[in-house]
């Protein structure tokens, strides 16, 4: 497409002005066609300055998700072998699941600039305003027993932590099992959904959905959420962040599926957990109870000590961290 070629030609000469005539000659099109292509790029949010008679200058990608921007930093063989970029979608995970994953190659990734019906765990909505976050879903077809599905969430959490560290220089922490926090506020949520073979007790496919706040947060989230914007002045790093999440996820995934290095993964995950030793409120089907998080078992389940001193192993329950000093010792999601 001409606009892609114009962009490439401008990117090749950073900081320099290139005249419309030069571009037209090089690309063998008219100056009007160049002008139209530049306007289309500007409408997509790519910053190109133009000055009468002296031409166009590429000023940078302005918060635009771009396949090329992602691929520049992608070092994977499997994850991201195909990436579909969408402007808006209800939910990247719902979209991927509707595409019929059985027919798709493992590693297929859907990324959206914004979601209109982003989903979190337990049917909760996940706020996904356009341009203000990374919303991505990755299709996996792991050759693992069903019981291991939690390791995929654990691996994705480690991958997000590593990608955030790499791109922003900050070290996030994890609230078991799927939430990433910085400075006590939620930065990212992960939703792992699978289609299983009941007969074989294996996974047919798994969709790992990742939502990371990168831009301006809605006021309603108050001080419960945080965005990378507050943590780094690196500007818009969404393309790079997506690539680094996939890079890290592939390493973790390979370790899990091929090398069977799950003890190492668990150890790395345990180090990232900030809830160990904390008072938590456990939300289990039919009961809520206070407990203290005491460790992680070999399946990635959180171990808590309840009020009667009994150690319980959590699977799909949710925890919230109890904040001491709050009236009534109330619990809330950090
Ligand atoms: C949670 O916080 O409970 C999990 C949130 C997961 C959000 C991501 S954004 C990309 C993908 N699409 C969705 O609808 N949800 C996940």
């Amino acid at each position: 497409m001409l606009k892609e070629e114009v962009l490439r030609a401008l990117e090749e000469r950073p900081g320099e002005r290139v005249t419309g005539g030069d571009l037209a000659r090089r690309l063998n099109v008219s100056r009007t066609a160049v002008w139209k292509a530049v306007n289309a790029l500007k409408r997509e949010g790519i910053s190109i300055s133009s000055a009468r008679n002296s031409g166009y200058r590429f000023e940078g990608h302005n918060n635009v998700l771009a396949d090329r921007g992602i691929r520049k930093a992608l070092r994977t063989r499997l994850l991201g072998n195909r990436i579909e970029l969408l402007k808006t979608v209800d939910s990247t995970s719902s979209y991927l699941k509707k595409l019929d994953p059985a027919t798709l190659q493992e590693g297929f990734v859907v990324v959206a600039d914004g979601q209109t019906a982003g989903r979190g765990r337990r049917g909760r909505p996940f706020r996904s305003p356009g341009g203000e976050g990374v919303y991505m879903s990755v299709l996996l077809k792991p050759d693992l027993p069903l019981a291991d599905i939690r390791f995929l969430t654990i691996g994705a959490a480690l991958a997000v932590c590593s990608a955030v560290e790499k791109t922003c220089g900050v070290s996030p922490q994890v609230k078991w099992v799927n939430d990433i926090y910085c400075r006590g506020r939620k930065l990212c949520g992960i939703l792992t959904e699978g289609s299983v073979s009941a007969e074989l007790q294996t996974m047919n496919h798994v969709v790992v959905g990742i939502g990371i706040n990168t831009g301006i947060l809605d006021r309603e989230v108050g001080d419960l959420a945080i965005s990378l914007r507050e943590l780094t002045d690196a500007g818009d790093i969404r393309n790079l962040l997506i690539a680094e999440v996939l890079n890290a996820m592939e390493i973790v995934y390979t370790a899990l599926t091929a090398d069977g290095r799950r003890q190492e993964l668990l150890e790395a995950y345990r180090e990232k957990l900030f809830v160990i030793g904390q008072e938590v409120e456990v939300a289990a089907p039919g009961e809520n109870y206070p407990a203290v998080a005491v460790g992680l078992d070999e399946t990635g389940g959180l171990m808590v000590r309840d009020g009667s001193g009994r150690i319980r192993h959590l699977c799909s329950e949710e925890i919230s961290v109890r904040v001491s000093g709050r009236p009534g010792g109330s619990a809330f999601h950090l």
Side-chain angles (χ1 to χ4, degrees), residues 91-93 115 117-121 126 135-137 178-179 186 189-191 209-211:
S91 146
T92 52
S93 292
Q115 298 182 122
R119 299 182 288 106
R121 277 182 101 206
F126 184 81
Y135 316 113
M136 61 192 281
S137 297
N178 65 327
D179 288 333
K186 180 163 165 173
I190 298 167
L191 178 69
I210 298 171

Coordinates of all heavy atoms in Angstrom, one line a residue, residues 91-93 115 117-121 126 135-137 178-179 186 189-191 209-211, ligand 1:
S91 N -14.4 -7.9 22.4 CA -13.3 -8.5 23.3 C -12.4 -9.3 22.4 O -12.9 -10.1 21.6 CB -14.0 -9.4 24.3 OG -13.2 -10.5 24.7
T92 N -11.1 -9.1 22.5 CA -10.2 -9.8 21.7 C -10.3 -11.3 21.9 O -10.2 -12.1 21.0 CB -8.7 -9.4 22.0 OG1 -8.5 -9.4 23.4 CG2 -8.4 -8.0 21.5
S93 N -10.6 -11.7 23.2 CA -10.7 -13.1 23.5 C -12.0 -13.7 22.8 O -12.0 -14.8 22.3 CB -10.7 -13.4 25.0 OG -9.5 -13.1 25.5
Q115 N -11.6 -2.0 23.4 CA -12.6 -3.0 23.5 C -13.9 -2.4 24.0 O -13.8 -1.6 24.9 CB -12.2 -4.2 24.4 CG -10.9 -4.9 24.0 CD -10.6 -6.1 25.0 OE1 -10.5 -7.2 24.6 NE2 -10.5 -5.8 26.2
A117 N -16.5 -4.4 25.1 CA -17.0 -5.3 26.1 C -15.9 -6.2 26.6 O -16.0 -7.5 26.6 CB -18.1 -6.2 25.5
G118 N -14.8 -5.6 27.1 CA -13.7 -6.3 27.6 C -14.1 -7.1 28.8 O -14.9 -6.6 29.6
R119 N -13.6 -8.4 29.0 CA -14.1 -9.2 30.1 C -13.0 -9.6 31.0 O -11.8 -9.8 30.6 CB -14.7 -10.5 29.5 CG -15.8 -10.3 28.6 CD -16.4 -11.7 28.1 NE -15.5 -12.3 27.1 CZ -14.8 -13.4 27.3 NH1 -14.8 -13.9 28.5 NH2 -14.0 -13.9 26.4
G120 N -13.3 -9.6 32.3 CA -12.4 -10.1 33.3 C -12.8 -11.4 33.9 O -13.7 -12.0 33.4
R121 N -12.2 -11.8 35.0 CA -12.6 -13.0 35.6 C -14.0 -12.9 36.2 O -14.4 -11.8 36.5 CB -11.6 -13.4 36.7 CG -10.4 -14.1 36.2 CD -9.5 -14.4 37.4 NE -9.6 -15.8 37.8 CZ -9.4 -16.2 39.0 NH1 -9.1 -15.4 40.0 NH2 -9.4 -17.5 39.3
F126 N -14.0 -5.5 31.9 CA -12.6 -5.0 32.0 C -12.6 -3.7 31.1 O -12.8 -3.8 29.9 CB -11.6 -6.0 31.5 CG -10.2 -5.6 31.6 CD1 -9.5 -5.7 32.8 CD2 -9.5 -5.0 30.5 CE1 -8.2 -5.3 32.9 CE2 -8.2 -4.6 30.6 CZ -7.5 -4.7 31.9
Y135 N -4.6 -4.6 24.8 CA -5.6 -5.6 24.9 C -5.3 -6.7 23.9 O -5.4 -6.4 22.7 CB -7.0 -5.0 24.6 CG -7.2 -3.6 25.3 CD1 -7.4 -2.5 24.5 CD2 -7.2 -3.5 26.7 CE1 -7.5 -1.2 25.1 CE2 -7.4 -2.3 27.3 CZ -7.5 -1.1 26.5 OH -7.6 0.1 27.1
M136 N -4.9 -7.8 24.4 CA -4.4 -8.8 23.4 C -4.8 -10.2 23.9 O -4.9 -10.5 25.1 CB -2.9 -8.7 23.3 CG -2.1 -9.0 24.5 SD -0.3 -8.5 24.4 CE 0.3 -10.0 23.5
S137 N -5.0 -11.1 22.9 CA -5.3 -12.5 23.2 C -4.4 -13.4 22.4 O -4.2 -13.1 21.2 CB -6.8 -12.8 23.0 OG -7.6 -12.0 23.8
N178 N -3.9 -13.9 38.9 CA -3.8 -13.4 37.6 C -3.7 -11.9 37.5 O -3.9 -11.3 36.4 CB -5.0 -13.8 36.8 CG -6.3 -13.2 37.3 OD1 -6.4 -13.0 38.5 ND2 -7.2 -12.8 36.5
D179 N -3.4 -11.2 38.6 CA -3.4 -9.7 38.5 C -2.0 -9.2 38.8 O -1.3 -9.7 39.7 CB -4.3 -9.1 39.6 CG -5.8 -9.3 39.2 OD1 -6.1 -9.4 38.0 OD2 -6.6 -9.4 40.2
K186 N -3.7 -1.9 40.5 CA -3.7 -2.9 39.5 C -3.3 -2.3 38.1 O -3.8 -1.4 37.7 CB -5.1 -3.5 39.4 CG -5.2 -4.6 38.3 CD -6.5 -5.4 38.5 CE -6.8 -6.2 37.3 NZ -7.9 -7.2 37.5
G189 N -4.6 -7.3 34.0 CA -5.4 -8.5 34.4 C -5.2 -9.5 33.3 O -5.0 -9.2 32.1
I190 N -5.3 -10.8 33.7 CA -5.1 -11.9 32.7 C -6.3 -12.8 32.8 O -6.7 -13.1 34.0 CB -3.8 -12.6 33.0 CG1 -2.6 -11.7 32.9 CG2 -3.6 -13.9 32.1 CD1 -1.3 -12.3 33.4
L191 N -6.8 -13.2 31.7 CA -8.0 -14.1 31.7 C -7.6 -15.3 30.8 O -7.4 -15.1 29.6 CB -9.2 -13.3 31.1 CG -10.5 -14.1 31.0 CD1 -11.1 -14.4 32.4 CD2 -11.5 -13.3 30.2
G209 N -5.9 -14.0 27.5 CA -6.2 -12.6 27.3 C -5.5 -11.8 28.3 O -5.5 -12.0 29.5
I210 N -4.9 -10.7 27.8 CA -4.0 -9.9 28.7 C -4.5 -8.4 28.4 O -4.5 -7.9 27.3 CB -2.5 -10.0 28.3 CG1 -2.1 -11.5 28.5 CG2 -1.7 -9.0 29.1 CD1 -0.7 -11.8 28.0
G211 N -4.8 -7.7 29.5 CA -5.1 -6.3 29.4 C -4.2 -5.5 30.3 O -4.1 -5.7 31.5
Ligands
LIG1 C1 -9.2 -9.6 35.0 O1 -8.8 -8.5 35.5 O2 -10.0 -10.3 35.7 C2 -8.8 -10.1 33.7 C3 -8.8 -9.1 32.6 C4 -8.4 -9.6 31.3 C5 -8.6 -8.5 30.2 C6 -8.1 -9.0 28.9 S1 -8.0 -7.6 27.7 C7 -7.8 -8.7 26.4 C8 -8.7 -9.9 26.7 N1 -10.0 -9.6 26.2 C9 -10.9 -9.6 27.1 O3 -12.1 -9.4 27.0 N2 -10.3 -9.8 28.3 C10 -8.9 -10.0 28.2

